[in-house]
Every structure is written in structure tokens, then in C-alpha cells.
Amino acid sequence: MKYIIFILILFFVPLFAEGEIKSIHALIYGKSTYPSELLNVKDGTKDKTILWLFYLIRTDKRIILVDTGFMDKKYINSFQISDFKSPTFLLRNAGIDSLQVTDVILTHSHFDHIGSAHHFPNAKIYINTKELEEFQNSDGFRQFEKIFEVRKFRNQIVKIDSNYYLSPEISIYFSGGHTVGSQFVHIKTGTREFVVTGDECYFAKECLEGVGLGPKAVYSISNNKKFIDRLSEIQKKNNRLEVLTLHDFELIRNSGIPKNGIIPIFEVEKKK
């Protein structure tokens, strides 16, 4: 039922503030190889090269991050991440100070998605309710406990039970495949549409070909399959829909990682 609602909203939510979104950029903080059995690939026998990235969305009124990356040297070393740049450094390259970030949408609570959330003290954090509960019961929550308490006191934690509409152009939807409270983001710019998948899929091409995650990479195989199948179906009906993941190497295959770590996805054309 949730996916039926998603389809209806995807096509019929009006753009009350068309053109509000000024730009979308991917901020790449590193690359590495990663086990295929944890990815959405047809050939699960060889490690694949992935990127580590998050997204910056600028609107007329907001500076929004979809996930935050991380800076913990323990993970940088253990995952052998090369070309590492800190998320805050990348934002400065984009002309953004950490204090300017107004909203952080967390697709889920794994370290590479939530790890830098504490660097944006003025931002509201949007996280699925079950995902937050799971995170609070994990060892990884200890370093964030005081920060989340402060955010809660300031009413800066937005807990999402299923779906949430940040603006007429930006919506957050439950998927629940990769983790118990995984969510994805749908973005309308007026001329183009995007879905930021979280880690429901790592590679966009395979995602649209119906290739889901393997059993070692999911909380719910059925929810992941529903997400993959629905996304593929919607894309066939709506050629404007573009799939953005948080790890897809195809984003830079023909160009390499820029020195500033920033890849433009969408920018409003400036009037002459």
C-alpha cells in the first residue's frame, strides 16, 4: 500500500514552488573496493570499486544534506578508502559553512551515512523512528548520545514513521529493505526528477535492471525487492526519473574524482 501511495504522489503532487531547488551536488569523500556480496550486482564473485559520497541540495530557503559521510580514521583505514576528503572540507569547497546547513536527511544509521551529523548543530535531523530506536540500542550510538539529547531538547529531531514531505519538491519515503528503517528521497526540480536510494542499491544501472541486494546486505529481502521492482516500474513510465545512489562509481568513471570532490547533478540555469 505504501508503494501505491508513493506512485500517486510521485505523479500528482503539484509543484507549488516550482524552481525552488537551485542545485544538487554529489560530494565525494573517497573510493575503495567493496565485497560484491554486499552490493546489488549480477556477478557476486569479485570485489567492486565504489565511491563514498553524500548529497548537497540548495533551495531558496534551505541547505540540505542527504546523509553526511564520516571522518573516523578507524573506518578510513579498515575500508582502505583512498582519496579521502572530510565532508566539512567538501562543503567548504562548495561555499557552505557547517553552521549554514538547515536539514540533514538520514537514509539510515550506518556509520558512513550518519557519521558526520554532529558537525551540523543548526540542522534538523530527519530519521525513521524504527531506525533511530535501532541506532540507540547499538554500540555506535554512544558517541552521538549527548548530541542527540541536545537536538531532541531543541526539537531538532524529526522522527518519521512512514513518509514525510519536507517541501512540495522534496519527499522522504520508507523502504525498510537495507535496514529496519531505511528511507529514500524523491526530488522534483520542475524539469527533472531524482530518487536518492540510500543503500537500497549501490549501482543505479543494476537497480533499474531489477538487481537487488544479496541476503547479507539486507534487513528485509522482500522490502528491498519491493523497492527495486517499484523503482524500475516507475522509471519505465517516467523517463525523467534519475536514480542517485551513495556509492555508484559510474558517476566518475569517465572523468575521475574532481580535485574539489564535487560533482554537479542539477543546477538551475542562470538567466542571461
Side-chain angles (χ1 to χ4, degrees), residues 1 3 17 26 36 47 51 67 85 96 108 126 128 147 150 168 170 175-176 193 219 222 234 237:
M1 185 65 181
Y3 290 92
S36 290
D47 290 354
L51 298 179
D67 293 331
K85 299 177 179 69
I96 302 295
H108 60 293
Y126 301 81
N128 177 272
I147 297 162
V150 172
I170 302 173
S175 51
E193 296 185 31
Y219 167 79
S222 61
I234 293 168
K237 294 179 181 178

Side-chain angles (χ1 to χ4, degrees), residues 130-144:
K130 290 182 179 179
E131 188 75 11
L132 179 57
E133 291 172 356
E134 187 85 1
F135 182 51
Q136 287 173 327
N137 292 324
S138 70
D139 292 337
F141 183 70
R142 293 176 184 175
Q143 62 178 312
F144 293 95

Side-chain angles (χ1 to χ4, degrees), residues 1 5 9 47 57 59 66 72 74 113 115 137 168 173 181 207 225 235 242 256:
M1 185 65 181
I5 293 171
I9 292 171
D47 290 354
I57 304 170
T59 78
V66 180
D72 193 325
K74 174 182 68 177
H113 299 262
N137 292 324
Y173 296 95
C207 182
K225 187 176 187 305
Q235 201 273 342
E242 300 174 49

Side-chain angles (χ1 to χ4, degrees), residues 157-173:
I157 304 291
V158 179
K159 295 188 286 187
I160 302 172
D161 291 325
S162 56
N163 304 325
Y164 187 89
Y165 311 109
L166 187 63
S167 76
E169 293 81 19
I170 302 173
S171 304
I172 306 166
Y173 296 95

